[in-house]
Amino acid sequence: MGAGVNGPRLSHVQSTAFSLRCPMTSRHVLLLSFPLLLGVGATGALVSAGTDARAERAWRPTAVPGATAERELAPRDQALHVLNRLAFGPRPGDVDAVLRLGVDRWIEQQLAPERIRDRSVDAVLSAYPHLAKDAGELRAEFPPAAALRRAAEGRMTAADSQALRRQAQEGRRFVAELTSARVARAVVSERQLAEVMTDFWLNHFSVFVGKNARMRYYLPTYERETIRPHVLGKFRDLLGAVARSPAMLVYLDNAISVADSTRPTLVDREVGERRLRRARAALNRRPNARADSARLEQLVQRRPRGLNENYARELLELHTLGVDGGYTQDDVINVARVLTGWTVRLGARDDGGFQFNPAAHDAGEKRILGRVFRAGRGEDEGDAVLDLLARHPSTARHIATKLAVRLVSDDPPDDLIDRATEVFLHTDGDIREVVRAIVTSPEFFSKAAWRAKVKSPFEVVVSAARALGGTADTTAFSAALVARLGQPIYGHQAPDGWPETGEEWMNTGAILNRINFGMAVAANRVPGARLDAWPPYAALREADRAAQVDAVIAAFLGGQTSTETRAILVNGANPMLGASVRDSFAVDVDGEIAMSERGVARRRRAGALGPPPDGQGNMNDREPRNPDVSGRTNPLRGNPLGPPRALSGLDQLIGLALGAPEFQRR
């Protein structure tokens, strides 16, 4: 198998990445297994004033070698590389702009997103009026379907039922806004590294919108206030914000975790019972006592009555120490005991904010990772445990490894992980400094890391829009495409998040879907990603085929492609499109509540997810599919791409390029 036309021969592992698990004819295997020399990158447009000075470093690790002198990539390849890894793909002209500014200066700009004006995002967010609201405001405006049915008290006419369905459908609008905004911001933001890190941390601290009927109300605040402000800050601050977020507390059941009956608490349980009796008596004296009393009894019946280890286990295994981080089952139990009483506020306003409940907190002595936590402590005990975990060497290595996997390669060099771990420990978990150490390292700019990562579905959709110079899609369509390609936003049921390594995204159906996605974009089916937005489009339409092929390879494939891909572009025939193309998407999309089954069976067996969703929550109470952000039902049920459309000329070339293996790597 030969090398690419303009690039070096890749390793066997790299060159066969698309041939694994693809039981097709030898011709198809050849098509998918050629060296994947990609040229589309990932970044935002360059910023203007206010970002010239490099960010001041709190600590400079002497172990990190000098960067520029040891880089294996040529300057233009370096520009492409940072646009591939530190953003969601180059827009037209970005590579030249990075070269004019300087790769290192561009990196420093992106490491200081607070200094970057982002007027495009400001304009886009005005299209999403509900994203700034808290859980209480959203619940009041969009009551859950179960509450609407209870309000009707069984006396419903056909007209009432229809009105109820319309109101329930309207209730999905703000979640459609949330998923749409994720894609739109990634397409247009100038703060591209911040968007990449937002995607990374939302995946690291993954939550599932389909957990129960309340979950969707917590997601706007989770993204807006818990994750985004901390993506390049101190890891301890981010960890603490997540630990107190209603989204995580509800998702992993800590909100219903209380001290076992054999354990002492900070508040006498008899006092709590007396307060409950007084509340019942007060309700009975009110005009609507019957309904209020019934509501109170429901809350009483649903009161948690025991310890739940779900969040404690994932806090140790996924969020901090890692699966091999040196903790035991006793540590899991004792962390769970520490976090009893960390719950969600449910009052008259029902805003779902964080609340510490001393009556539910286990006030006994605990031992965690060899450290004794004395009896009688309260909320600060949880903070002490978070301090311990955030600063633990195993956490430093776990986070450094995950960042290196995301930014460098699926199997990053140990020396790089060692240095990034050292930076984490010496800077008290400063995420900005850890990222800087990784993305200025010789390993980051090595030939081994060059185009070594497979794009996730989110990255495929966003990078295609950016490659064309597209605008933000403020409908729900692009978010539905991300889901249809296998990665529904907030749709991963298990807490381990979407995979960061390429083999999980590559199978026969996924490859066919990506090819069809490229043709759908070229057919102008994706809002915001129109071909005529690409600056050379008008002039190239009248050029000869050879000139068109060269221009498309330069613009979308970084000027480097394999002999096989060039032949497909010249001939205009992809052999895979001749196969039987079924609706082979692996994920059943129900708008924003599509779910992935990856890892669910393992988590269920471990007891990490509890029972399947019941009548209160969602999966048995689904609304119409794919609502757009205006609340109307999207008519594109099933496959939002529709059947493949025959294209010709320059449109066909662009579609083939966007579906090529080179474009699927970054």
Side-chain angles (χ1 to χ4, degrees):
M1 182 164 53
V5 173
N6 296 311
R9 183 186 301 271
L10 299 189
S11 70
H12 175 73
V13 172
Q14 290 171 299
S15 66
T16 59
F18 279 77
S19 64
L20 299 176
R21 299 163 57 195
C22 295
M24 298 181 291
T25 66
S26 59
R27 184 182 182 193
H28 293 167
V29 171
L30 176 65
L31 169 70
L32 297 175
S33 64
F34 61 83
L36 304 175
L37 305 177
L38 304 191
V40 292
T43 180
L46 299 176
V47 302
S48 53
T51 61
D52 291 350
R54 289 175 177 248
E56 185 66 20
R57 302 186 189 187
W59 177 76
R60 291 180 174 85
T62 57
V64 178
T68 305
E70 300 187 28
R71 291 176 184 170
E72 297 178 351
L73 301 181
R76 190 170 188 85
D77 290 342
Q78 290 181 36
L80 268 173
H81 191 59
V82 297
L83 293 172
N84 275 326
R85 299 301 176 81
L86 309 186
F88 286 109
R91 297 175 70 86
D94 272 3
V95 174
D96 290 332
V98 170
L99 287 171
R100 288 193 299 269
L101 181 67
V103 169
D104 295 280
R105 191 174 177 187
W106 182 87
I107 291 173
E108 290 301 327
Q109 285 187 355
Q110 290 296 315
L111 283 168
E114 66 278 3
R115 301 180 183 178
I116 301 176
R117 292 194 298 266
D118 211 359
R119 292 170 179 164
S120 296
V121 164
D122 293 340
V124 165
L125 291 181
S126 65
Y128 304 108
H130 298 95
L131 296 191
K133 298 180 179 179
D134 66 24
E137 293 169 320
L138 292 170
R139 186 181 180 91
E141 186 172 352
F142 305 106
L148 294 172
R149 286 193 292 270
R150 284 197 302 269
E153 295 183 352
R155 302 185 300 274
M156 295 183 64
T157 66
D160 292 334
S161 297
Q162 187 175 7
L164 183 64
R165 284 194 296 271
R166 285 196 301 268
Q167 192 169 0
Q169 178 183 322
E170 180 75 8
R172 295 293 182 188
R173 178 167 62 176
F174 72 87
V175 183
E177 287 186 14
L178 184 66
T179 57
S180 173
R182 277 281 304 281
V183 180
R185 291 178 71 147
V187 170
V188 304
S189 178
E190 308 286 358
R191 301 169 180 170
Q192 278 288 292
L193 178 57
E195 290 301 314
V196 169
M197 294 305 297
T198 297
D199 184 62
F200 174 83
W201 289 119
L202 281 170
N203 197 49
H204 181 79
F205 295 109
S206 180
V207 295
F208 175 49
V209 69
K211 168 69 176 183
N212 59 33
R214 285 187 293 156
M215 190 67 184
R216 67 182 188 269
Y217 300 115
Y218 305 137
L219 293 181
T221 301
Y222 185 64
E223 181 175 325
R224 183 183 70 243
E225 299 179 8
T226 302
I227 300 297
R228 286 188 175 275
H230 304 291
V231 295
L232 286 170
K234 291 295 184 78
F235 179 74
R236 171 61 180 87
D237 295 338
L238 174 58
L239 184 68
V242 171
R244 283 181 167 85
S245 67
M248 188 61 70
L249 290 170
V250 169
Y251 171 54
L252 289 178
D253 301 317
N254 206 81
I256 59 172
S257 181
V258 302
D260 287 334
S261 59
T262 60
R263 301 284 185 181
T265 67
L266 294 177
V267 175
D268 185 358
R269 292 183 184 275
E270 292 183 4
V271 174
E273 292 298 327
R274 287 198 297 270
R275 289 176 179 172
L276 181 60
R277 287 195 294 271
R278 286 198 299 269
R280 285 173 174 152
L283 284 175
N284 288 332
R285 293 193 293 269
R286 291 169 55 179
N288 55 348
R290 190 174 202 178
D292 288 343
S293 181
R295 170 66 173 161
L296 180 62
E297 292 303 323
Q298 287 178 344
L299 292 175
V300 171
Q301 292 302 317
R302 294 206 303 266
R303 281 186 305 169
R305 299 184 182 278
L307 189 69
N308 190 296
E309 301 173 12
N310 290 349
Y311 176 53
R313 180 180 296 107
E314 307 308 346
L315 175 64
L316 297 176
E317 177 182 334
L318 299 177
H319 297 173
T320 58
L321 304 177
V323 67
D324 298 319
Y327 65 90
T328 67
Q329 176 60 23
D330 284 342
D331 292 321
V332 172
I333 293 171
N334 282 299
V335 169
R337 292 175 58 207
V338 165
L339 294 174
T340 49
W342 286 48
T343 187
V344 176
R345 183 168 56 247
L346 294 175
R349 190 162 174 260
D350 198 12
D351 65 352
F354 171 79
Q355 175 177 283
F356 177 72
N357 180 6
H361 179 66
D362 184 331
E365 183 179 277
K366 299 102 175 172
R367 180 182 292 271
I368 299 168
L369 299 176
R371 176 176 168 181
V372 175
F373 291 78
R374 59 178 173 77
R377 299 180 66 177
E379 183 180 351
D380 72 306
E381 186 178 51
D383 284 314
V385 168
L386 295 178
D387 289 341
L388 174 65
L389 296 177
R391 297 178 173 96
H392 196 281
S394 293
T395 297
R397 188 163 191 86
H398 180 55
I399 300 302
T401 300
K402 286 199 68 173
L403 285 168
V405 168
R406 174 64 179 253
L407 297 171
V408 179
S409 68
D410 289 359
D411 186 20
D414 288 339
D415 287 348
L416 175 63
I417 295 174
D418 291 342
R419 295 199 305 273
T421 301
E422 179 188 354
V423 173
F424 188 103
L425 292 171
H426 280 78
T427 62
D428 193 25
D430 191 321
I431 300 167
R432 191 190 321 265
E433 294 304 323
V434 177
V435 171
R436 177 184 277 116
I438 291 171
V439 304
T440 59
S441 68
E443 291 90 344
F444 178 80
F445 286 104
S446 68
K447 291 180 180 178
W450 172 248
R451 295 165 178 172
K453 295 288 294 181
V454 174
K455 292 178 182 177
S456 69
F458 186 86
E459 292 166 336
V460 169
V461 173
V462 173
S463 64
R466 289 181 59 79
L468 289 169
T471 58
D473 174 14
T474 56
T475 75
F477 192 92
S478 293
L481 284 179
V482 174
R484 202 60 173 162
L485 289 171
Q487 191 185 14
I489 298 169
Y490 292 113
H492 196 282
Q493 184 171 0
D496 52 355
W498 298 106
E500 292 284 3
T501 54
E503 71 274 3
E504 297 289 342
W505 296 117
M506 288 294 100
N507 55 56
T508 306
I511 295 168
L512 286 171
N513 292 335
R514 291 175 181 226
I515 293 172
N516 285 330
F517 166 76
M519 302 307 288
V521 172
N524 286 322
R525 289 181 172 178
V526 181
R530 298 190 59 83
L531 298 195
D532 54 13
W534 184 44
Y537 180 75
L540 279 174
R541 290 197 70 179
E542 305 305 321
D544 61 33
R545 186 76 172 188
Q548 289 178 339
V549 168
D550 289 341
V552 166
I553 290 175
F556 299 103
L557 306 180
Q560 300 181 14
T561 189
S562 70
T563 303
E564 292 86 354
T565 291
R566 179 176 285 273
I568 288 172
L569 296 177
V570 170
N571 298 328
N574 188 325
M576 289 197 70
L577 292 179
S580 174
V581 181
R582 302 181 306 276
D583 183 13
S584 56
F585 288 98
V587 177
D588 180 28
V589 178
D590 275 9
E592 74 285 347
I593 63 170
M595 62 183 259
S596 164
E597 294 296 339
R598 183 182 285 113
V600 172
R602 177 177 64 86
R603 296 285 173 181
R604 287 237 185 272
R605 287 195 296 271
L609 289 175
D614 58 20
Q616 293 182 8
N618 205 35
M619 284 322 206
N620 297 322
D621 190 22
R622 290 176 171 173
E623 307 298 346
R625 291 185 173 187
N626 298 338
D628 65 22
V629 295
S630 68
R632 297 185 300 270
T633 300
N634 190 320
L636 295 170
R637 296 172 181 267
N639 184 356
L641 296 177
R645 180 181 299 179
L647 299 173
S648 61
L650 183 58
D651 296 4
Q652 178 196 64
L653 271 177
I654 294 173
L656 290 170
L658 294 177
E662 289 89 343
F663 191 79
Q664 305 305 316
R665 296 182 73 89
R666 57 179 178 90

